[in-house]
Amino acid sequence: MNKQEAQLEISRLTKALNHHNYLYYVESNPEISDYEFDQMLKQLQDLEQQFPDLADDNSPTKRVGGDITKKFESVKHRFPMLSLSNSYSQEEVIDWVERIKKTIDSKLEFVCELKYDGVAIGIQYINGSFFRALTRGDGVSGEDITTNVKTIRSIPLTLHGDFPPDFEIRGEIFMPLASFQKLNAQREDIGEVTFANPRNTASGTLKLQDSKLVAERNLDSYLYAVYSEYRTVSTHMESIHNAGKWGFKVPKESERLIEKVDSIEGIMGFIQYWDEQRVHLPFEIDGVVIKVNSYEDQQKLGMTAKSPRWAIAYKFKTERVETILESVDFQVGRTGAITPVANLTPVQLGGTTVKRASLHNADQIEKLDLHLGDSVYVEKGGEIIPKIVGVNLEKRGEVDNKIVFLETCPACGTPLKREEGEAQHFCTNDLYCPPQVKGKIEHFIGRKAMNIDGLGAETVDLLYENELVRNAADLYELKFDDLLKLNRMAEKSANNILKGIEASKEVPFDKVLFAIGIRFVGETVAKKLARYFKTIDQLMEATFEELIQVEEIGDKIAQSIIDHFNRKENRAIIDRLKLHGVQFEMVQSVMESATLSGSTFVISGVFNAFSRDEIKTLIENNGGKIASSISSKTNFLVAGDNMGPAKLKKAEDLGVPILSEDELLLMLKQNA
Ligand code: IVH
């Protein structure tokens, strides 16, 4: 392909990718499969690599991140970034409306919106292209976080329609609750400290230097104001509609995320609706915002030093209940982290009965100065279990029952350790402390690790209690008779467990590496390490300097890997796993055969051991054909994570068998 042809192809792919990205992330209505999308993106990436000077700053390839920002430059805002005055009661909102009526005597219209609980952003577009994104900063100047904001898929990189040549759009970037909970679950699993709430996490994420990490965190946005010298509309509502037409994610009237009203009753209706319904939103809000709709009226009302007079925020009272702190449990996680959990007298909160609350760590207990028997205030935030936010001191009794953090592990008695600068206490007896041992085995057998069917936490408990397992390698030495001795273990289940353990010997090296549970080594890091070092032996021999050469491996992870392999006990487990045939090397050469000839495959979702391209090559090298959409001619659907429900349903309706990547590999191996 010559340069001219490449240019044409790049522009065709860019247009198509932007369009399909919009359909997926803004409209939630995709027209093509994820596979087709990824194929196009890959083509574009290849072309950009071949012709680097044709790569645009706003190419859809920027979504995946990769660029590093060493220092976020401070830039002056063209229009100061103001804040809103807050109100907390109906009376305050009524007073605000009455004040406005003194200046505006014509009929008033208001627009009610949600007050998204995230980070304010101002993005400048020049000639329809993303130019620069600034944080609020002190309102006068903000930090340039352009590279990171470009990874947020609901924010367009190029616009369509009739947009002004130069304008700024403002809105809120937030972390959806599902992304937040998933991120925290992953962090907890590898022994990282969890994040406190979605807002702070969104804010911290936007300040990460590596935009690739930002891309992985799944941030989202809603835009709420357009600033331009070229105004063609006369109301706020029209400008929101326009922004939607240019490609921005703006609140939909059909979902009542935005509403035009002309009375106090209208405003109150909106407030009341969302005060009740907000628990069902997939993101957090902390109130609603009411704005005067007409720009002319807004101009007349003007602003105070800090905030416009034409808008007001109504803040919801966070539902808070009072109950008794009965006791505190100290839980030991698989990494040895000690988490205090409060047991409460059951109480209703946000439609559910609350019995437990998270206390996070020793500092939290100290800060709240908690005593047993205290009457405590409990609130729900972005976390699954609620938190204690304060104590009703008036109800505190005479006896001094102050909660003291444990000095020794509640499970094994080992003195707890707290590293300088860390919030968490740890039990260091990682090889013998029962909950840690069991937790490590549970992690090892998990779906994303060795995926051992038939085994669950309960059976691991039984195996441990019966002294049949003390580490992952012991699983491979279990005998049928050992299992039958366990309480309520039927022959069929015992067989299933043994079959599951046998099948796990086919699990690829990167998952094995994740499964062995090195602290701070999550799924992605394990994959990177496996691809880089290829074998466990090379990884075990790697020096600190060699380890930090690998993408995404910093000092902390590198040290943790070194510490893990320095322990002879850990090496012994690996030796035994090796003897039992567990995979400790990347499968080097792709198998070739005619096993799959005559079969057509559709690939969908995200895979763990292989990239989508590798799966495709694997199928093709073994005689199979790839199709982009499911039809009656499809023989198999190879499904990864996050596959669209529509596709799954179609496969089921047409009776197309669904394979996981492991099952595909097994199919190839069995027929080899
Ligand atoms: S309008 C002139 N609308 O609330 C004020 N702000 O203190 C322009 N916020 O930092 C702001 N949702 O980030 C507006 N629908 C909404 C909002 C909203 C959240 C945030 C905004 C600002 C803070 C106001």
Side-chain angles (χ1 to χ4, degrees), residues 82-84 113-116 120 136 172 224 289 291 308:
L82 304 174
S83 62
L84 292 167
E113 293 170 15
L114 302 184
K115 189 170 187 310
Y116 317 102
R136 179 170 184 275
E172 200 85 353
Y224 54 62
V289 181
K291 300 172 180 173

Side-chain angles (χ1 to χ4, degrees), residues 61-78:
T61 56
K62 296 285 169 199
R63 300 289 198 200
V64 280
D67 292 343
I68 307 281
T69 314
K70 282 262 174 316
K71 184 175 180 295
F72 298 105
E73 297 295 336
S74 171
V75 179
K76 194 160 185 283
H77 290 295
R78 293 200 299 172

Side-chain angles (χ1 to χ4, degrees), residues 476-543:
Y476 294 85
E477 283 154 28
L478 285 173
K479 306 270 173 325
F480 184 70
D481 291 343
D482 291 336
L483 290 170
L484 273 194
K485 276 185 236 147
L486 299 180
N487 201 8
R488 283 185 310 199
M489 177 67 68
E491 283 191 14
K492 193 163 169 226
S493 319
N495 268 324
N496 274 345
I497 293 175
L498 292 177
K499 247 203 246 159
I501 293 174
E502 195 53 33
S504 75
K505 294 179 184 171
E506 303 301 331
V507 167
F509 174 43
D510 64 320
K511 286 197 181 183
V512 176
L513 190 55
F514 171 60
I516 59 177
I518 304 170
R519 194 165 169 217
F520 304 135
V521 175
E523 271 181 287
T524 322
V525 168
K527 209 182 287 183
K528 297 244 150 86
L529 289 168
R531 289 216 174 132
Y532 190 92
F533 291 102
K534 306 270 191 302
T535 70
I536 192 93
D537 294 334
Q538 298 200 45
L539 173 65
M540 290 202 291
E541 277 163 26
T543 61

Side-chain angles (χ1 to χ4, degrees), residues 58-110:
N58 282 325
S59 161
T61 56
K62 296 285 169 199
R63 300 289 198 200
V64 280
D67 292 343
I68 307 281
T69 314
K70 282 262 174 316
K71 184 175 180 295
F72 298 105
E73 297 295 336
S74 171
V75 179
K76 194 160 185 283
H77 290 295
R78 293 200 299 172
F79 310 90
M81 246 169 133
L82 304 174
S83 62
L84 292 167
S85 57
N86 288 326
S87 63
Y88 299 89
S89 65
Q90 298 208 1
E91 289 69 38
E92 283 180 87
V93 178
I94 294 170
D95 287 351
W96 173 73
V97 174
E98 292 307 322
R99 271 201 307 279
I100 287 179
K101 281 189 180 156
K102 285 189 191 144
T103 313
I104 313 289
D105 39 23
S106 55
K107 181 137 183 64
L108 271 169
E109 262 180 3
F110 301 97

